[in-house]
């Protein structure tokens, strides 16, 4: 079994892999001529399946580790009959979507999923079906497609076609293949709990029945400090504690209104208990420590996919290179990924699929029977 990643800017640069891939995963720049690239690929490999999505930037194991305005391809040779490619239209009504979901849940006696979501967040039904999919697909790993151009909608790629509001899936046979994954965000809780008592959309209005900004200033810092953190993209984020899984990022503070005393959040939240989380002094050291504790036990891994929040890239800026350098130290096998609008994975001790934010998820696939005891 083989895998190899390549990078290109234009479809004409594709010149094949040194082996015959069964499936090719594409993380594409938004303005890529997808149909042209896939047509060229099919001229090389008529039987290969193609799946992937658009990304705001791509991740590679070689320098430069973070690639802008380019496309990453990962060619993979897998055991016979160990996977299937499926696509689900998430803009249909919930009953139809559930019927589509049920049709893929028993393809293999045991299975897990690599997922590529394209979700138009203004489409209410598509968003609802996105969360329905998470609830009905345990052991699902992947990312929500992003865009490197505001004017272009994120998309999924399936056998040469661009699809919007679509869930693209690789269904993998767990009797032939095995998976390990790693979830890391790095923000540290201040160890005091609060309760969200009033919101309006993305506006956090009250915490513990007081104006949100007032509570924030009391425990975290004044508005000048908050503004500096926002400008530097050292985003203070809200964390929720989940049993066994520690603290999970809930929402990042994007801005504030001193007059109304509200805080603008990156995503909507519900009424629940939370704490504030702040980035560690050295995010890279924190990540390296976690990698050292979570070295893969798969003896012969085929490849690793990386799904990292676009906000992490914005926060780390040039330091993002060092974050992926840490991965390249641990993963000598082929690696590819992209910056997402949501990272899909259970926590390592669970099979309940979660949509994370401000998080890095690394998923390693290997052949069954190659694990150290």
């Amino acid at each position: 079994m083989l895998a190899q990643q390549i990078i290109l800017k234009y479809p004409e640069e594709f010149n094949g892999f040194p082996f015959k891939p069964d499936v090719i995963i594409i993380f594409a720049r938004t303005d890529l001529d997808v149909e042209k690239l896939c047509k060229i690929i099919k001229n090389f490999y008529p039987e290969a399946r193609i799946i992937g999505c658009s990304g705001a930037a791509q991740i590679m194991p070689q320098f430069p580790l973070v690639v802008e305005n380019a496309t990453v391809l990962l060619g993979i040779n897998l055991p016979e009959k160990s996977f299937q490619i499926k696509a689900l239209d998430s803009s249909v009504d919930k009953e139809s979507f559930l019927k589509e979901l049920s049709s893929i849940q028993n393809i293999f006696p045991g299975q897990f999923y690599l997922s590529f979501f394209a979700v138009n967040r203004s489409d209410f039904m598509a968003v609802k079906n996105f969360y329905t999919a998470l609830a009905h697909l345990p052991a699902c790993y992947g990312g929500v497609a992003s865009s490197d151009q505001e004017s272009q909608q994120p998309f999924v790629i399936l056998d040469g076609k661009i699809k919007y509001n679509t869930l693209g899936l690789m269904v993998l046979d767990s009797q032939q293949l095995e998976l390990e994954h790693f979830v890391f965000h790095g923000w540290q809780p201040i160890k005091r709990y609060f309760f969200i008592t009033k919101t309006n959309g993305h506006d956090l209005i009250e915490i513990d029945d007081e104006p949100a900004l007032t509570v924030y200033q009391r425990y975290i810092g004044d508005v000048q400090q908050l503004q500096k953190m926002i400008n530097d993209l050292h985003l203070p984020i809200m964390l929720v504690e989940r049993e066994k899984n520690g603290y999970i990022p809930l929402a990042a503070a994007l801005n504030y209104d001193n007059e109304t005393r509200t805080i603008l959040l990156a995503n909507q939240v519900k009424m629940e208990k939370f704490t504030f989380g702040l980035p560690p002094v050295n995010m890279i050291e924190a990540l390296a420590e976690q990698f050292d504790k979570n070295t893969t036990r798969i003896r012969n891994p085929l490849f690793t996919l990386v799904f990292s929040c676009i906000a992490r890239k914005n926060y780390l800026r040039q330091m993002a290179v060092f974050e992926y350098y840490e991965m390249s130290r641990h993963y000598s096998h082929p690696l590819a990924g992209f910056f997402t609008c949501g990272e899909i994975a259970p926590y390592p001790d669970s099979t309940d699929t979660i949509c994370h934010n401000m998080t890095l998820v690394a998923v390693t696939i290997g052949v069954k029977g190659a694990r150290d005891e």
Side-chain angles (χ1 to χ4, degrees):
M1 303 299 105
L2 299 168
Q4 185 186 58
Q5 76 286 330
I6 60 175
I7 183 169
L8 51 83
K9 284 196 172 183
Y10 305 104
E12 298 83 1
E13 296 175 1
F14 182 76
N15 198 33
F17 295 95
F19 59 91
K20 181 181 177 182
D22 300 302
V23 61
I24 298 171
I25 298 175
I26 301 176
F27 298 127
R29 54 189 289 179
T30 316
D31 62 354
L32 176 74
D33 189 337
V34 171
E35 293 191 7
K36 184 175 183 178
L37 173 60
C38 291
K39 185 176 181 180
I40 293 172
I41 291 172
K42 287 293 187 179
N43 286 336
F44 279 85
Y45 311 112
E47 297 179 1
R49 301 301 305 275
I50 302 171
I51 192 170
C53 64
S54 61
Q58 286 66 45
I59 299 165
M60 286 279 287
Q62 296 94 6
F63 286 99
L65 298 171
V66 176
V67 185
E68 308 277 357
N69 300 317
T71 294
V72 172
L73 283 72
L74 180 67
I76 310 163
N77 178 238
L78 291 169
E80 186 178 2
K81 297 181 180 179
S82 64
F83 76 97
Q84 289 193 24
I85 302 291
K86 299 291 182 181
L88 283 65
D89 182 356
S90 61
S91 63
V92 299
D93 63 87
K94 185 176 181 180
E95 183 178 348
S96 299
F97 189 72
L98 283 170
K99 187 176 180 180
E100 287 188 80
L101 277 176
S102 65
S103 70
I104 66 169
Q105 290 179 308
N106 295 293
I107 293 174
F108 300 108
Q111 61 191 40
F112 54 90
Y113 309 88
L114 293 179
S115 59
F116 310 92
F117 288 88
V119 182
N120 181 350
R121 296 183 183 274
S122 64
D123 186 324
F124 179 73
M125 186 55 66
V127 173
K128 286 198 69 173
N129 284 334
F130 166 70
Y131 286 103
T132 297
L134 299 187
H136 287 79
L137 293 176
C140 184
Y141 310 82
V144 179
S146 58
S147 173
D148 50 12
Q149 298 184 29
E150 291 185 7
S151 60
Q152 295 191 332
Q153 187 177 334
F155 54 80
V156 162
I157 302 167
L158 188 71
D159 289 330
K161 301 295 184 183
I162 286 179
K163 294 182 175 290
Y164 303 100
N165 280 338
T166 296
L167 165 56
L169 288 171
M170 278 186 70
V171 187
L172 300 165
D173 183 0
S174 63
Q175 293 187 347
Q176 297 190 65
L177 300 170
E178 60 180 343
L179 176 149
E180 283 188 343
H181 74 291
F182 176 79
V183 178
F184 174 78
H185 62 79
W187 274 258
Q188 304 298 310
I190 69 168
K191 295 298 179 77
R192 186 197 186 283
Y193 291 103
F194 306 90
F195 201 90
I196 300 166
T197 50
K198 188 174 182 181
T199 65
N200 181 19
H202 288 252
D203 291 330
L204 177 60
I205 300 173
E206 289 184 357
I207 300 172
D208 293 338
D209 296 317
E210 291 188 79
L213 191 58
T214 299
V215 175
Y216 185 91
Q217 288 178 265
R218 184 182 304 146
Y219 293 98
I220 305 299
D222 59 26
V223 292
Q224 287 79 18
Q225 181 181 352
L226 175 59
Q227 186 63 62
K228 184 178 187 305
M229 296 177 79
I230 290 170
N231 291 343
D232 293 341
L233 292 171
H234 289 194
L235 298 172
I237 65 175
M238 301 166 67
L239 301 173
V240 292
E241 188 174 19
R242 296 286 187 256
E243 185 179 358
K244 297 182 180 179
N245 295 326
Y247 292 91
I248 300 173
L250 182 66
L254 296 182
N255 212 327
Y256 66 92
D257 187 320
N258 201 21
E259 184 176 340
T260 62
R261 311 297 289 167
T262 60
I263 298 174
L264 176 66
L265 301 177
N267 49 287
Q268 297 185 35
V269 296
K270 60 184 180 181
M271 310 298 183
E272 63 179 312
K273 186 172 73 171
F274 76 97
T275 186
F276 283 108
L278 298 173
V281 174
N282 192 319
M283 180 72 83
I284 305 304
E285 286 184 5
L287 176 66
E289 181 181 347
Q290 289 300 310
F291 267 123
D292 288 338
K293 293 178 181 178
N294 291 275
T295 302
T296 179
R297 293 181 291 125
I298 296 178
R299 186 180 300 164
N300 294 310
L302 284 175
F303 62 91
T304 291
L305 296 182
V306 180
F307 306 96
S308 184
C309 182
I310 187 65
R312 285 187 74 81
K313 175 176 174 290
N314 291 340
Y315 162 66
L316 291 170
R317 294 183 177 177
Q318 294 302 315
M319 290 182 69
V321 172
F322 295 100
E323 184 161 73
Y324 304 112
Y325 171 74
E326 285 300 321
M327 282 188 289
S328 71
R329 287 201 311 115
H330 287 78
Y331 301 138
S332 58
H333 50 274
L335 177 152
F338 76 102
F339 290 96
T340 72
C341 285
E343 306 74 57
I344 310 302
Y347 272 87
D349 59 356
S350 172
T351 58
D352 295 333
T353 303
I354 298 171
C355 181
H356 304 266
N357 64 75
M358 302 292 287
T359 296
L360 181 153
V361 172
V363 183
T364 300
I365 305 293
V367 178
K368 201 79 168 182
R371 179 187 290 273
D372 288 333
E373 297 298 334

